[in-house]
Amino acid sequence: MPTKTYIQAIAEATIEEMERDQTVFTMGEDLRQSVYGATAGLVDRFGEDRVLDTPLSENGFFGAALGASLCGMRPIVETVTSFLWVGMDQLVSQGSKMRYMFGGQAELPVTFRVRMFYARGAAAHHSDRNYPVFMNTPGIKIICPSNAYDAKGLMKTAVRDNDVCLLFEDGIAISSRTEVPDNDELPDGELLVPFGVARTVQTGSDVTIVGIAGGVQHAIDAAKVLAAEGISVEVIDPRTLVPLDKESILKSVAKTGRLVIVDPAHKMCSAASEIAAIVAQEGFWDLQAPVQVVASEQINVPYSPALEPLIYPTPEKVIAAVRVVLD
Amino acid sequence: MALDKQQLEEMYRRMCRIRYFEEAVIEIHSSGELIGPAHPYIGEEAVAVGACAALRDSDRIAGNHRSHGHPIAKGGDVNRAMAEILGKSGGYCKGKGGSMHLADFSIGILGESGIVASSVPIATGAALAAKLSKQDFVSLVFFGDGASNQGACHESMNMAALWDLPVIFMCENNGYAITTSYKNSVSVDHVSDRASAYGMPGVLVDGQDAIAVHEATSEAVRRARAGEGPTLIEAMTYRYEDHSLGLDRIRKSEYRSQEEVDEAMKRDPLPIHREAMITHGFATEAECDAIEAEVHTEIDGAVEFARNSPFPEPGDLFDDMWATPV
Ligand SMILES: Cc1ncc(C[n+]2csc(CCOP(=O)(O)OP(=O)(O)O)c2C)c(N)n1
Ligand SMILES: [Mg+2]
């Protein structure tokens, strides 16, 4: 099976969906020159109308994408986590609310592809991992692929979904490779990954580690080290946070009795907080130790390479947390 | 005149519909039946009606918090609108939207919006869809003088002009954003002066004259359908009532003089339209009286419909969240 990078997977999904459905188009800043790497060659293939370079107006073009989606189009919007703040009004006041507020009349099939840069010296204004903010915003689906396979399959599902989807592209995983089958290798001729279905990355019996986005790789790395000591780790990747496959997490915890959650977001009100709360409420009697959260420190992202790495989860922090739950 | 008898009468009917609807809302509000805020459109009827008279059902509109006149002008159903305002299940949004969020997608009403100016990008996007899918509908967005200062407005006008989108930016300049006069908040004499900054026509029109608004909008619609791009229209109008029902701290005359209010009310859009029809021989006094009487009956019926409509059930709470179920 061929290996592909995460970004190639996103590019493939975009091309396939644009070919399949004429109402799909892409918009964002500097798409035609593929500044963020996923839109190279699109304009030659699909023309300028379907590959729109927008003015630098996030609030304006997020809203325009939503408005176009109300009238039968399926926009794919490219942006960056930190620029979501600029377009927050359209995303939240309109995108997340229109359907419910209008009694179910609106369909908003917009996919926002949101690049999540962090841990690369980009400082506080370009290092946001803000998906938990949108978990607290009813009406938005949240997709956090950790690898190329899921990135492609989830992206294609997002484009076909009739609700606002935010697909967070993990900046650390973005050039990582995984096996992604070509379409002719697949029984259905295409790769679709459903929302709300977690992936068990590896099975184990002593402890469950739930990883979110780039946190999955830390979990895998930690599990390798622990395996050498005879500790058997189960790694779960929820893949989508809204909807969240809590059953798979609860089932795993019922088996292992121990839970560590690895989340690149800041720890207060993070995705990890929510998962810990669910397990405390619904899986309490299965737990043999308090849940441990390995998330980013509750501090803004510092620039200096001497400081920045201190704030994020690392495999070492994950290993330490596993030792706590096994203690 | 481009308008015939039937059209002029229909415009009058819709202006009366808005006026009497709002009077009913005010009455219901004072009785305590209406809990949320509601922003009366009285005095501004000619803008919505003149504009919507230039549109087809398939054309899209979006609006703002002063939100009952726009859908009624577009042909919305007063029963469902009134029921929505009372939070009833028979309302346009099954009671989930209320006064500021009336919508009827089946006749192109993409919804009213409580965040000032937030519909402007939405309408711009609707026009983008028309262009990309090569359909010939246009979109028109109503927004206030206050909204004209929001970034969302400026961003949208730039995009619309840049891409020649079929959208009409209809600024309802009623002189105030709550208490802040437009002279104290808009840097140029007129909002429409800003159009040149985006490279689109800016048109200043008498917003108390539905026929004049219709004419200006028709030209903008013609341009839009011909692929010539957007137009910014500024309709000068006046809000007769308080900014919002229930905002009793801000009475209509504390930030504007009573003389100013009295002077503005001399140019009431309903009699202006009625007299124009009679003077030009399109309708008789008796025909106008008949329209008024019919609409009064219709609005009484809407209030009754709304009162009789049941409230939503607790079990309806979680409906209407997702289009693709999770
Ligand atoms: C973003 C935002 N800021 C403030 C408000 C509070 N607010 C509601 S209506 C209004 C004034 C709007 O003025 P204008 O756009 O001229 O419309 P008008 O009420 O005069 O019809 C304000 C400030 C709001 N709803 N949204
Ligand atoms: Mg105003």
Side-chain angles (χ1 to χ4, degrees):
Chain A
M1 202 185 289
T3 65
K4 290 167 194 164
T5 65
Y6 193 121
I7 196 94
Q8 275 174 326
I10 294 283
E12 277 186 15
T14 306
I15 290 168
E16 286 178 22
E17 291 307 293
M18 287 181 75
E19 262 170 2
R20 186 186 58 81
D21 181 348
Q22 289 295 311
T23 66
V24 178
F25 71 102
T26 59
M27 62 195 294
E29 290 159 20
D30 307 295
L31 290 188
R32 292 176 191 163
Q33 292 297 324
S34 192
V35 163
Y36 296 103
T39 54
L42 283 189
V43 71
D44 298 331
R45 205 168 180 141
F46 298 108
E48 293 195 343
D49 267 5
R50 295 182 70 197
V51 186
L52 273 185
D53 269 357
T54 62
L56 230 168
S57 309
E58 284 80 4
N59 200 42
F61 74 77
F62 289 6
L66 296 167
S69 79
L70 292 175
C71 299
M73 303 302 287
R74 309 186 83 85
I76 300 171
V77 178
E78 181 183 89
T79 189
V80 172
T81 49
S82 301
F83 312 155
L84 291 179
W85 308 128
V86 181
M88 214 54 179
D89 175 39
Q90 289 299 313
L91 259 182
V92 177
S93 294
Q94 300 287 32
S96 79
K97 295 179 181 168
M98 278 184 131
R99 180 174 175 78
Y100 188 80
M101 197 162 77
F102 298 150
Q105 293 183 69
E107 287 194 2
L108 295 142
V110 188
T111 302
F112 289 89
R113 285 185 37 237
V114 194
R115 189 65 55 80
M116 187 158 71
F117 294 117
Y118 63 105
R120 293 286 183 275
H125 276 185
H126 291 82
S127 303
D128 289 300
R129 292 128 290 115
N130 46 10
Y131 43 86
V133 171
F134 300 94
M135 293 175 74
N136 201 249
T137 304
I140 294 178
K141 290 175 179 166
I142 304 176
I143 301 122
C144 286
S146 67
N147 62 80
Y149 180 98
D150 288 335
K152 180 168 180 186
L154 290 167
M155 162 98 179
K156 285 169 66 78
T157 302
V159 173
R160 298 176 195 197
D161 195 275
N162 288 330
D163 297 302
V164 174
C165 294
L166 294 185
L167 185 138
F168 289 87
E169 300 173 356
D170 192 282
I172 297 194
I174 206 80
S175 48
S176 69
R177 286 182 171 275
T178 37
E179 288 188 340
V180 182
D182 284 328
N183 285 341
D184 54 22
E185 299 173 71
L186 291 159
D188 299 331
E190 60 181 349
L191 178 59
L192 289 166
V193 173
F195 291 173
V197 181
R199 183 170 65 101
T200 302
V201 181
Q202 62 176 66
T203 53
S205 52
D206 296 329
V207 56
T208 300
I209 307 183
V210 172
I212 291 148
V216 174
Q217 191 57 47
H218 297 324
I220 294 168
D221 293 346
K224 257 186 220 139
V225 174
L226 293 161
E229 299 174 21
I231 298 166
S232 165
V233 176
E234 180 143 304
V235 177
I236 308 257
D237 177 355
R239 302 198 284 197
T240 59
L241 295 171
V242 177
L244 177 68
D245 179 3
K246 64 177 186 179
E247 302 311 326
S248 292
I249 296 169
L250 289 164
K251 230 169 89 191
S252 177
V253 171
K255 180 168 76 173
T256 64
R258 296 177 171 85
L259 176 63
V260 172
I261 311 161
V262 193
D263 184 354
H266 296 286
K267 71 174 133 194
M268 193 178 282
C269 301
S270 58
S273 311
E274 177 62 19
I275 292 168
I278 289 169
V279 173
Q281 286 167 17
E282 299 178 38
F284 183 80
W285 303 110
D286 292 321
L287 287 170
Q288 294 177 37
V291 175
Q292 295 298 301
V293 168
V294 182
S296 291
E297 299 295 343
Q298 197 63 23
I299 189 73
N300 283 317
V301 174
Y303 167 66
S304 171
L307 297 176
E308 188 187 10
L310 303 180
I311 79 163
Y312 302 117
T314 58
E316 295 69 35
K317 290 183 189 175
V318 178
I319 291 165
V322 169
R323 296 204 197 289
V324 171
V325 297
L326 285 170
D327 203 15
Chain B
M1 193 180 308
L3 292 158
D4 62 23
K5 173 181 170 70
Q6 199 196 336
Q7 288 169 309
L8 287 165
E9 284 187 351
E10 183 58 23
M11 286 167 73
Y12 189 56
R13 184 181 307 279
R14 291 192 189 186
M15 285 166 70
C16 290
R17 225 176 243 158
I18 297 171
R19 174 70 54 97
Y20 306 160
F21 185 93
E22 295 294 51
E23 287 170 352
V25 169
I26 291 171
E27 200 180 306
I28 288 174
H29 186 271
S30 58
S31 76
E33 257 173 285
L34 196 169
I35 41 162
H39 304 81
Y41 196 63
I42 294 180
E44 308 186 28
E45 293 90 341
V47 184
V49 168
C52 289
L55 301 177
R56 305 172 182 161
D57 271 2
S58 57
D59 293 328
R60 311 298 208 273
I61 66 163
N64 61 1
H65 56 284
R66 196 167 304 291
S67 50
H68 309 158
H70 310 137
I72 294 174
K74 186 76 169 38
D77 172 8
V78 286
N79 289 0
R80 295 181 68 198
M82 192 64 85
E84 186 60 36
I85 291 169
L86 290 188
K88 300 298 187 73
S89 62
Y92 258 127
C93 311
K94 308 177 203 165
K96 285 173 173 153
S99 162
M100 282 186 277
H101 304 299
L102 301 178
D104 184 347
F105 280 46
S106 71
I107 50 171
I109 304 167
L110 296 183
E112 304 285 314
S113 161
I115 299 297
V116 170
S118 69
S119 284
V120 185
I122 298 293
T124 304
L128 176 63
K131 183 183 172 184
L132 294 180
S133 62
K134 302 189 170 54
Q135 295 181 65
D136 74 346
F137 68 85
V138 305
S139 81
L140 182 147
V141 59
F142 296 99
F143 61 99
D145 46 292
S148 78
N149 297 321
Q150 286 278 18
C153 251
H154 296 280
E155 294 181 14
S156 299
M157 288 181 194
N158 180 55
M159 281 190 293
L162 180 72
W163 294 333
D164 290 327
L165 299 183
V167 53
I168 295 106
F169 297 102
M170 178 62 71
C171 179
E172 304 174 303
N173 187 342
N174 60 9
Y176 296 88
I178 311 190
T179 67
T180 305
S181 79
Y182 98 90
K183 296 204 184 309
N184 281 341
S185 63
V186 174
S187 62
V188 282
D189 286 344
H190 277 286
V191 174
S192 53
D193 294 344
R194 290 174 171 166
S196 64
Y198 305 107
M200 69 171 107
V203 181
L204 187 62
V205 66
D206 177 2
Q208 303 310 90
D209 179 349
I211 297 169
V213 175
H214 172 267
E215 198 177 302
T217 312
S218 297
E219 169 55 15
V221 169
R222 186 205 59 73
R223 270 177 52 77
R225 281 202 224 286
E228 293 167 26
T231 304
L232 169 58
I233 301 175
E234 177 182 14
M236 297 306 292
T237 185
Y238 204 79
R239 154 168 67 73
Y240 289 7
E241 298 297 321
D242 292 344
H243 167 70
S244 171
L245 301 179
L247 250 187
D248 293 340
R249 295 188 314 285
I250 310 168
R251 302 308 302 188
K252 57 186 165 193
S253 55
E254 282 174 11
Y255 52 92
R256 52 186 195 182
S257 68
Q258 192 56 47
E259 295 93 74
E260 181 190 299
V261 178
D262 293 342
E263 195 55 34
M265 288 175 73
K266 287 185 190 151
R267 300 205 63 246
D268 190 316
L270 272 66
I272 288 176
H273 192 75
R274 185 185 152 120
E275 277 152 34
M277 286 198 298
I278 294 169
T279 312
H280 294 98
F282 285 101
T284 62
E285 300 273 358
E287 284 169 329
C288 292
D289 290 347
I291 291 174
E292 291 169 18
E294 279 163 28
V295 176
H296 272 301
T297 310
E298 206 182 312
I299 298 301
D300 289 346
V303 173
E304 197 178 311
F305 174 89
R307 287 195 167 129
N308 291 337
S309 174
F311 277 111
E313 297 290 329
D316 300 333
L317 179 64
F318 291 98
D319 292 346
D320 302 319
M321 170 93 148
W322 303 120
T324 304
V326 300

